[in-house]
Amino acid sequence: MVFWEGYVSDETMGTIAPIVVYWLYAGFYQLLPPLDMYRLHSRKEEEEKNSVPLVSVVKGVLFQQLVQATVAKLLFLLTSTADASGTMIQPSIPVQIVQFIIAMLVMDTWQYFVHRFMHQNKFLYRHVHSQHHRLVVPYAIGALYNHPLEGLLLDTFGGAISFLVSGMTARTAVIFFCFAVIKTVDDHCGLWLPGNIFHIFFQNNCAYHDIHHQLQGTKYNYSQPFFPIWDKILGTHMPYVLLKRSEGGFKVRLKKKD
């Protein structure tokens, strides 16, 4: 039993909810006071280094979400196994947990290799992936600011493949995709807030991903959005140290491997 049952279908919820959650969570970060004592970059750095205005970022994210919603709707339509009454038998909680974990690992695998290839292929980096790196100083609303082709290949296809391989139902997908969105937004928030559960339970967090957005770290820390497994296996893992800035806040520095 879920709170939307009887109001909207699982398929509709799985299409709309991740978009709503994105703007609620990213909007929460956007509306916070400056919090200079927790920032990974100063506001001056953000203004000087980022080469794309907020309005363009919002437009880019909305376009990607339109594509994602269209693909999600088609995916749910083609894979639905509901009976004539629209009822679908849901698997047990343990099965759903296993499906959730499988989906996380599949998404991580897909995104690592596609992301890394977009860096190694000079044409794709110059004409596609570099759009995301125009935000040298990441912030929450820009988490899904990508070239449309990257948004399709990396995020939309990655989500679809995770859904199909895991075998999860649309209802489980609602929770999975909303969680993936929250994690992605948090990884780009640019704030090292005390008590943030994503910093506590995930090595792959906003500081880890910040290394990748720095010029000297673009060949490292490709993993997203959950675990740094592939970085560690394939030698692209770059640890970091958090140093306090004299004017307040933190700066993330590469910690050279021995």
Side-chain angles (χ1 to χ4, degrees), residues 103-120 129 150 153-155 158 162 204 208-209 212 218-238 257:
M104 292 171 78
L105 295 174
V106 171
M107 181 174 281
D108 270 1
T109 301
W110 177 267
Q111 293 212 1
Y112 176 86
F113 287 101
V114 174
H115 185 192
R116 183 173 179 176
F117 183 67
M118 285 189 173
H119 274 269
Q120 293 177 329
H129 187 56
E150 177 178 352
L153 293 177
L154 189 68
D155 298 315
S162 302
N204 189 347
Y208 185 89
H209 192 63
H212 179 72
T218 55
K219 294 182 180 180
Y220 301 98
N221 296 6
Y222 297 112
S223 292
Q224 55 186 48
F226 300 113
F227 309 111
I229 296 172
W230 287 109
D231 275 323
K232 291 185 175 181
I233 292 174
L234 297 177
T236 54
H237 175 262
M238 177 60 69
K257 295 177 283 188

Side-chain angles (χ1 to χ4, degrees), residues 18-23 26 56-66 68-69 107 111 131-132 135 138-148 150-152 154-156 177 180-189 209 213 224-225:
I19 298 173
V20 174
V21 167
Y22 182 94
W23 290 106
S56 297
V57 170
V58 171
K59 288 179 180 178
V61 172
L62 286 172
F63 181 77
Q64 176 168 329
Q65 289 175 329
L66 175 63
Q68 286 181 336
M107 181 174 281
Q111 293 212 1
Q131 179 169 324
H132 182 70
L135 297 180
Y139 56 84
I141 284 179
L144 289 183
Y145 176 67
N146 300 308
H147 186 282
E150 177 178 352
L152 182 66
L154 189 68
D155 298 315
T156 305
F177 288 134
V181 160
I182 291 171
K183 179 66 171 62
T184 300
V185 169
D186 207 88
D187 287 349
H188 291 81
C189 72
H209 192 63
H213 274 258
Q224 55 186 48

